[in-house]
Amino acid sequence: MQLEIRGLEKLSFRERQAVILKESGKPLETIAKQLRLSQSSVATLLTRARSKGYEIVCIIPGGELGLGGEELDEEGSTED
């Protein structure tokens, strides 16, 4: 699975850093420590970034969903 963040060009450098860390699953406390900011400053960066309209797109290759090119019959089993 791959995540794509669209609209990063609308964000400041610090907003991008905060968004990437947040969307990577990092908690606010960890982001604040890594960026050497207070948690409230990180929350402000994330709020500003959301207001600018970035979006996360999840890209899942068909193979990961069992859709790797095999034909399925109506009951969901593969045709031989």
Side-chain angles (χ1 to χ4, degrees), residues 1-5 56-61 64:
M1 181 173 70
Q2 177 182 339
L3 291 179
E4 180 179 308
I5 304 174
I56 304 300
V57 178
C58 180
I59 301 168
I60 304 172
E64 289 186 26

Side-chain angles (χ1 to χ4, degrees), residues 10-54:
K10 302 174 192 174
L11 308 181
S12 72
F13 180 75
R14 289 301 249 180
E15 290 166 347
R16 289 178 194 182
Q17 288 179 315
V19 164
I20 289 169
L21 291 169
K22 181 66 175 170
E23 299 302 340
S24 297
K26 306 278 189 237
L28 196 63
E29 182 179 1
T30 302
I31 297 169
K33 285 179 183 176
Q34 189 165 348
L35 297 180
R36 296 182 180 168
L37 297 170
S38 68
Q39 289 185 40
S40 63
S41 292
V42 173
T44 298
L45 288 171
L46 293 170
T47 298
R48 286 184 189 157
R50 278 190 295 276
S51 74
K52 293 179 182 181
Y54 79 89

